[in-house]
Amino acid sequence: MNTAFASPIINVLIFILAFCSIVYELLLAQALSAFLENTVLRYCVTIGLYMFSMGLGALAAEEKYTKHPINTLLSVEILLTLIGGFSLGILHVLNMLYLPRIVFSAAAHILIICIGVLTGFEVPLFFEIVRIKKISSENIVLGVNYFGAFVGTGCFTFVFYPIAGLMATSFFVGFINALAGTSLMILRGLISKEALKPFYRLWTLQVMILVMIGICLFCSDPINEYFMDRYMNAF
């Protein structure tokens, strides 16, 4: 693949993935403020735990995971799409189980940690891609990543939450995340021959998840009504 063509694609992917990750966390913070109350506490703990978990993810991104960085990145996006895109639904299901408050809180914060760790994997993987292929620089990777997170924060605050609501936002951002994962097919020219077969298997799974979350997005209103009825009946 022409590196001049690959560079802008990678930058767009970095932006989108950072955008999605921060929105997932803000979704969880807002949802937890409804389930567990104390909005300031929920946002502070969520963002703090997210940053800490990102550090853990970056530390965990060792050579065995970066040997085939695009394959690993696709695996990460599959998990992020499932955990992040369905995070609000998972919280509602947990709430319907009438778990003790501390158990519910622990499970919710495990979701936050999982998203943070997976997000922490992304930047080292992009570092490896641009380093091996000499496509871009690490400074640009970091800059685009931070900018994507900033835009995601603004969009959640001023567009997603007040207009679309939490459930539709979770499915929409999950859909965008899955779409970004499937778009890694464009970079298949950067993948070694030995890693192509596993990549195609992962890509097929990502497409299936894309379709599934797309259906959920289309049906987000009735899904939201169902969960809100259960939420209100819990009180």
Side-chain angles (χ1 to χ4, degrees):
M1 171 177 280
N2 190 318
T3 56
F5 178 65
S7 182
I9 293 174
I10 288 174
N11 288 336
V12 170
L13 284 173
I14 295 167
F15 177 90
I16 292 173
L17 297 180
F19 177 98
C20 292
S21 291
I22 193 65
V23 174
Y24 289 146
E25 297 293 358
L26 294 173
L27 270 167
L28 286 169
Q30 184 60 37
L32 288 175
S33 69
F35 285 115
L36 300 174
E37 303 174 336
N38 199 332
T39 301
V40 174
L41 176 64
R42 301 306 159 201
Y43 272 89
C44 289
V45 171
T46 298
I47 297 303
L49 198 55
Y50 172 59
M51 299 300 292
F52 172 72
S53 302
M54 283 179 64
L56 293 180
L59 289 172
E62 298 176 350
E63 185 177 350
K64 62 181 178 180
Y65 298 114
T66 58
K67 183 179 180 182
H68 302 297
I70 295 178
N71 285 23
T72 305
L73 183 61
L74 182 52
S75 300
V76 167
E77 299 321 313
I78 288 170
L79 292 172
L80 274 174
T81 301
L82 289 171
I83 298 172
F86 294 100
S87 58
L88 189 59
I90 293 170
L91 288 183
H92 275 289
V93 170
L94 291 173
N95 184 62
M96 288 164 58
L97 296 175
Y98 299 104
L99 299 171
R101 184 183 177 93
I102 189 170
V103 175
F104 176 86
S105 179
H109 287 84
I110 287 172
L111 288 176
I112 295 169
I113 292 170
C114 288
I115 293 171
V117 169
L118 290 168
T119 301
F121 260 88
E122 291 175 340
V123 170
L125 291 172
F126 278 116
F127 279 172
E128 190 67 14
I129 293 169
V130 301
R131 184 185 66 82
I132 294 175
K133 305 301 178 181
K134 297 180 173 60
I135 295 170
S136 183
S137 70
E138 294 181 355
N139 290 347
I140 292 175
V141 170
L142 284 175
V144 174
N145 183 72
Y146 294 148
F147 183 60
F150 169 74
V151 174
T153 302
C155 286
F156 178 82
T157 305
F158 299 110
V159 180
F160 293 152
Y161 177 57
I163 297 175
L166 295 181
M167 187 64 71
T169 297
S170 69
F171 290 141
F172 175 73
V173 176
F175 183 82
I176 296 299
N177 199 158
L179 201 59
T182 58
S183 70
L184 288 172
M185 176 63 78
I186 301 172
L187 301 177
R188 66 188 181 279
L190 303 178
I191 302 173
S192 62
K193 289 184 179 180
E194 63 180 295
L196 271 176
K197 279 190 177 180
F199 172 80
Y200 287 132
R201 287 197 294 268
L202 289 167
W203 186 81
T204 302
L205 177 59
Q206 180 73 95
V207 171
M208 293 169 63
I209 295 170
L210 175 68
V211 172
M212 178 175 65
I213 203 163
I215 293 170
C216 290
L217 175 60
F218 182 76
C219 301
S220 60
D221 285 342
I223 292 173
N224 185 59
E225 289 176 10
Y226 172 81
F227 281 127
M228 287 306 298
D229 285 343
R230 298 301 181 278
Y231 173 76
M232 297 305 295
N233 290 335
F235 293 96

